[in-house]
Amino acid sequence: MNVDPLVIFTPSGKRGRFPVGTPILTAARQLGVDLDSVCGGRGICSKCQITPSYGSFSKHNVEVKPDALSDWNKVEQRYKEKRGLKDGRRLGCQATVQGDVVIDVPPESQVHKQVVRKRAEARDIVLNPSTRLFYVDVAEPDMHDPSGDLERLCDALRTQWKIENVEADLHIMQTMQPILRKGDWKVTVAINLGDAKHMPRILHIWPGYYDGTLYGLAVDLGSTTIAAHLCDLQTGEVLASSGVMNPQIRFGEDLMSRVSYSMMNPSGAEEMTRAVREGMATLFDQIAAEAGIDAGLIVDAVFVCNPVMHHLFLGIDPFELGQAPFALTTSNAMRLRAKDLGLTIHPAARAYILPCIAGHVGADAAAVALSEAPEKSDDLMLVVDVGTNAEILLGNREKVLACSSPTGPAFEGAQISSGQRAAPGAIERVEIDPGTKLARFKVIGSDLWSDDPGFEAEIATTGVTGICGSGIIEMVAEMRIHGIVDAPGLIGTAEQTGSSAVFADGRTNSYLVYDGTAHGGPRITVTNRDIREIQMAKAALYSGARLLMDKFGVDKVDRIVLAGAFGAHISTKHAMVLGMIPDAPLDKVTSAGNAAGTGARIALLNVDARAGIEQTVREIHKVETAIEPRFQEHFVNASAIPNAVEPFPILNSIVSLPDVTFNTGADKGTEGGGRRRRRRA
């Protein structure tokens, strides 16, 4: 009795018997093997490359002979001559089964290939985009079969690709007929594959075989900045990343200022919606130009944002978010047409907005949860997304809690006397000499310290321009370490601190970091008001984290993840000296970079992740800081540097903070201008 040859696929391990002459691509499809193809087996796209293995395989109990596959053919030879084919590779649509064979599917030939992320602790992204390309042969019109061109195109997609119930917008029908005829009834179709609630939809048609790719955008719409990653939807590669300032800043630096603006001005919400969409258009043009692609080929976009930005981007008045109970218009994920949001990408492109968790915990927090997956952690993980409005997650496999905390823009350099955004020339690293109590620093754009030879020459084009967020954190922490600032946050006098950099500044004292006035540069100082701004911001951040720990019933966490573009540049030691985060071993405090942006990229490249995060968000328990009495208690305690009541034993084993107090009630450098308390008569 003749037995059909055995075909074994690696790395999946799937196997089956197939008649002699069966194309490898056909065998892969029947077994559900992840082997890519755009042209459907016509030898055009080369996506189905495979590597046959020959010899004895005891693991599989099979002997693969040299003639296990059909001979090399003209299609494969033509492709190798035109574009190159690695030695040993075959095209799965051309090579046919002749005997028992072991077939390896290389990563680049897999439909759901993995995109390896750079951070070792992060999960890989399985590539499964919402929009893919399909090459089809369409039946020509026939007098005896009066169906329309669209119907025959949909029939071809159903019979050749098993894609059912395909829909098309009007703009497709307006351009479809000349494209079909130009391609001699062979076309490449970009289809958004939809989901359980939405039918597949044609987004674009090219005549013949389209030998190109499709692009998507993962966008983190923040209160201060808008950041975007342009991705190749077929490889998952990030082709360009860019950002712009959120133009809404002119209406208020913090979210509540913008809500107030919409309340006080009849057309305020519309103005802010228009501004953010214009900023988005600028960013998209910029990122497409940087990558050298046509923005019209961007067919998918994923957005993450906080609740206020969510509403303003969608053109919804955020009025209800400004008052208890902080009701969202909708907390569900949204699937929209890009053109309805005024986006300057492909006219049929789709936009997906991640779900919000609650009125003050938005889609950006959901994206952080998608990126860092606290619900899958055995350790108790605290994830802090540091920004104008901090999102905080605490959880493990047992449960996940979430809250937001209004830190304000101080961590981004705003409301700081010499503060600025992170840009070339901004001070980002600081050290204070324990002897002289003078500061040295590094600026963005240079690896030299300010007291290194050649520093001035290297920064000649930018100069020293100000202090960014990571710089001000290190600055205040260093001042605390070296006894220039006391625990309550007062800068002592030059005599009290032993630093010639301290000078009287009105009713308080300030610290001179850099004086460039002799060369027309700025005089950069840290004032007592700057210290206060940082104290308020870090107290809000710590209080939110501590409140979640109370709700979880714990006094410590196993590890801390600092998320956000800003979080990536924070010195963990200085953050702990400041009291921004709970006491923990420094090696258990890591940076996740822009985790919200990473979550957006995962949702862009894998549609299954969208359903996953929608389910996760439904299970996260939201804690509202505004109605929690202990939040204010934690806030007052956390205003001290590092904290008025928390012992911070791990921090104290690393650094010894001087026990100094500058509020003597008599010195000029004290808060209150040195007024003496009156004695009672």
Side-chain angles (χ1 to χ4, degrees):
M1 181 173 117
N2 289 330
V3 179
D4 289 333
L6 178 65
V7 182
I8 301 170
F9 288 94
T10 62
S12 67
K14 293 181 178 180
R15 60 176 62 201
R17 293 192 177 275
F18 296 90
V20 170
T22 302
I24 294 297
L25 178 61
T26 301
R29 283 180 172 174
Q30 291 182 16
L31 289 174
V33 172
D34 212 17
L35 182 58
D36 201 359
S37 175
V38 170
C39 70
R42 297 171 178 83
I44 299 173
C45 72
S46 80
K47 301 289 184 184
C48 63
Q49 293 181 29
I50 50 97
T51 304
S53 299
Y54 303 97
S56 181
F57 296 86
S58 57
K59 175 182 176 182
H60 302 300
N61 194 27
V62 67
E63 181 82 23
V64 181
K65 297 179 180 178
D67 59 353
L69 291 182
S70 58
D71 292 337
W72 181 263
N73 67 19
K74 292 180 181 179
V75 174
E76 292 171 301
Q77 183 61 33
R78 184 173 67 248
Y79 183 84
K80 183 166 186 176
E81 289 171 354
K82 288 181 67 176
R83 299 188 187 173
L85 198 62
K86 289 182 180 179
D87 290 342
R89 289 273 179 94
R90 299 290 302 274
L91 296 183
C93 63
Q94 300 300 308
T96 62
V97 177
Q98 301 298 316
D100 294 348
V101 66
V102 175
I103 299 293
D104 181 63
V105 180
E108 58 268 35
S109 297
Q110 297 170 17
V111 177
H112 303 102
K113 59 181 72 75
Q114 286 194 326
V115 182
V116 180
R117 294 166 61 190
K118 292 181 180 178
R119 289 189 295 118
E121 76 276 12
R123 295 164 294 118
D124 295 339
I125 303 171
V126 176
L127 192 60
N128 185 22
S130 66
T131 302
R132 290 184 56 203
L133 295 170
F134 300 91
Y135 179 82
V136 291
D137 281 321
V138 181
E140 296 186 36
D142 189 325
M143 291 288 288
H144 302 289
D145 181 7
S147 62
D149 286 354
L150 177 62
E151 286 69 33
R152 280 179 281 102
L153 173 58
C154 292
D155 285 344
L157 288 165
R158 182 175 60 255
T159 57
Q160 295 167 37
W161 289 101
K162 295 182 172 53
I163 303 174
E164 304 279 352
N165 304 314
V166 179
E167 299 178 347
D169 290 336
L170 178 60
H171 81 277
I172 292 294
M173 289 180 273
Q174 290 169 337
T175 59
M176 177 183 59
Q177 290 191 307
I179 293 172
L180 283 167
R181 285 152 182 82
K182 182 178 179 182
D184 193 24
W185 303 98
K186 297 175 180 63
V187 292
T188 305
V189 187
I191 298 183
N192 182 284
L193 295 169
D195 52 36
K197 296 180 180 178
H198 301 83
M199 293 295 105
R201 184 171 295 274
I202 297 172
L203 301 187
H204 199 94
I205 307 175
W206 290 266
Y209 175 65
Y210 169 61
D211 187 22
T213 190
L214 298 172
Y215 304 97
L217 284 166
V219 185
D220 181 4
L221 172 53
S223 321
T224 306
T225 57
I226 310 171
H229 305 287
L230 178 70
C231 299
D232 184 320
L233 294 182
Q234 291 186 307
T235 66
E237 181 184 0
V238 178
L239 302 177
S241 297
S242 191
V244 295
M245 294 294 296
N246 187 334
Q248 287 183 346
I249 261 186
R250 66 177 182 267
F251 302 104
E253 287 194 321
D254 61 272
L255 296 175
M256 286 303 104
S257 295
R258 296 181 204 178
V259 173
S260 297
Y261 186 85
S262 73
M263 291 177 175
M264 302 296 291
N265 297 273
S267 61
E270 291 90 334
E271 286 181 66
M272 287 186 282
T273 295
R274 185 165 54 252
V276 75
R277 290 183 180 179
E278 287 172 356
M280 204 83 73
T282 299
L283 175 59
F284 292 176
D285 289 344
Q286 177 180 310
I287 203 168
E290 182 180 332
I293 69 144
D294 177 5
L297 291 173
I298 300 172
V299 296
D300 200 8
V302 169
F303 296 88
V304 301
C305 41
N306 61 57
V308 173
M309 294 312 310
H310 174 276
H311 278 38
L312 289 173
F313 178 46
L314 293 173
I316 300 170
D317 194 322
F319 175 83
E320 293 296 337
L321 295 175
Q323 56 189 353
F326 315 113
L328 287 154
T329 298
T330 179
S331 59
N332 288 337
M334 300 190 71
R335 294 164 174 83
L336 306 167
R337 295 188 302 178
K339 70 177 183 180
D340 291 339
L341 297 172
L343 302 179
T344 54
I345 52 180
H346 191 286
R350 264 37 194 177
Y352 175 79
I353 301 176
L354 268 69
C356 291
I357 297 174
H360 280 163
V361 186
D364 46 0
V368 171
L370 177 55
S371 172
E372 302 310 306
E375 78 284 359
K376 297 177 182 177
S377 172
D378 293 321
D379 296 333
L380 182 58
M381 180 196 304
L382 177 70
V383 185
V384 183
D385 190 2
V386 188
T388 306
N389 199 59
E391 280 77 32
I392 307 168
L393 301 168
L394 177 68
N396 54 19
R397 292 183 185 276
E398 178 188 338
K399 61 182 175 181
V400 178
L401 309 180
C403 75
S404 68
S405 207
T407 52
F411 286 149
E412 294 174 327
Q415 297 178 355
I416 302 298
S417 60
S418 296
Q420 67 162 88
R421 309 296 178 200
I427 295 173
E428 62 170 346
R429 296 287 315 281
V430 179
E431 288 182 355
I432 291 179
D433 185 277
T436 64
K437 304 288 183 76
L438 300 178
R440 70 173 193 150
F441 52 83
K442 284 185 177 181
V443 300
I444 296 174
S446 173
D447 290 328
L448 298 178
W449 287 94
S450 56
D451 57 355
D452 286 341
F455 173 78
E456 294 291 344
E458 184 163 311
I459 66 158
T461 55
T462 61
V464 181
T465 54
I467 308 178
C468 68
S470 60
I472 193 66
I473 284 175
E474 292 198 16
M475 187 75 247
V476 176
E478 285 282 311
M479 291 171 72
R480 177 72 184 95
I481 290 169
H482 295 288
I484 297 168
V485 168
D486 63 11
L490 283 173
I491 301 175
T493 63
E495 292 75 23
Q496 290 171 324
T497 62
S499 174
S500 61
V502 174
F503 61 95
D505 189 6
R507 299 168 69 179
T508 57
N509 297 300
S510 293
Y511 181 86
L512 178 65
V513 183
Y514 172 78
D515 189 354
T517 53
H519 311 289
R523 189 169 188 262
I524 297 172
T525 63
V526 176
T527 69
N528 233 125
R529 179 171 178 175
D530 296 337
I531 304 289
R532 286 284 180 263
E533 293 289 347
I534 293 298
Q535 283 179 281
M536 297 302 100
K538 71 95 178 181
L541 189 65
Y542 181 87
S543 303
R546 197 66 185 81
L547 185 62
L548 293 188
M549 292 166 67
D550 290 346
K551 294 292 183 181
F552 220 97
V554 298
D555 289 319
K556 63 180 182 178
V557 299
D558 296 320
R559 59 191 178 104
I560 299 173
V561 178
L562 297 175
F566 169 63
H569 297 93
I570 298 174
S571 157
T572 54
K573 183 184 84 170
H574 291 96
M576 206 165 287
V577 168
L578 206 57
M580 285 178 64
I581 54 179
D583 195 43
L586 294 186
D587 63 351
K588 296 296 183 182
V589 184
T590 59
S591 168
N594 185 2
T598 299
R601 189 160 66 91
I602 294 171
L604 173 70
L605 297 176
N606 187 337
V607 290
D608 294 334
R610 302 181 186 185
I613 192 57
E614 289 171 28
Q615 178 62 34
T616 298
V617 162
R618 286 191 285 270
E619 297 169 358
I620 292 176
H621 177 67
K622 166 65 171 62
V623 176
E624 180 52 68
T625 58
I627 59 172
E628 291 288 341
R630 291 215 70 190
F631 181 82
Q632 189 61 31
E633 177 188 337
H634 286 311
F635 185 89
V636 171
N637 293 334
S639 297
I641 306 173
N643 197 288
V645 297
E646 301 287 347
F648 280 74
I650 297 172
L651 173 65
N652 289 331
S653 70
I654 299 167
V655 60
S656 180
L657 300 179
D659 184 14
V660 293
T661 302
F662 300 134
N663 188 11
T664 63
D667 295 313
K668 184 178 188 298
T670 61
E671 198 167 42
R675 294 177 182 172
R676 297 176 183 269
R677 184 179 296 174
R678 290 187 179 182
R679 299 186 179 215
R680 292 188 178 179

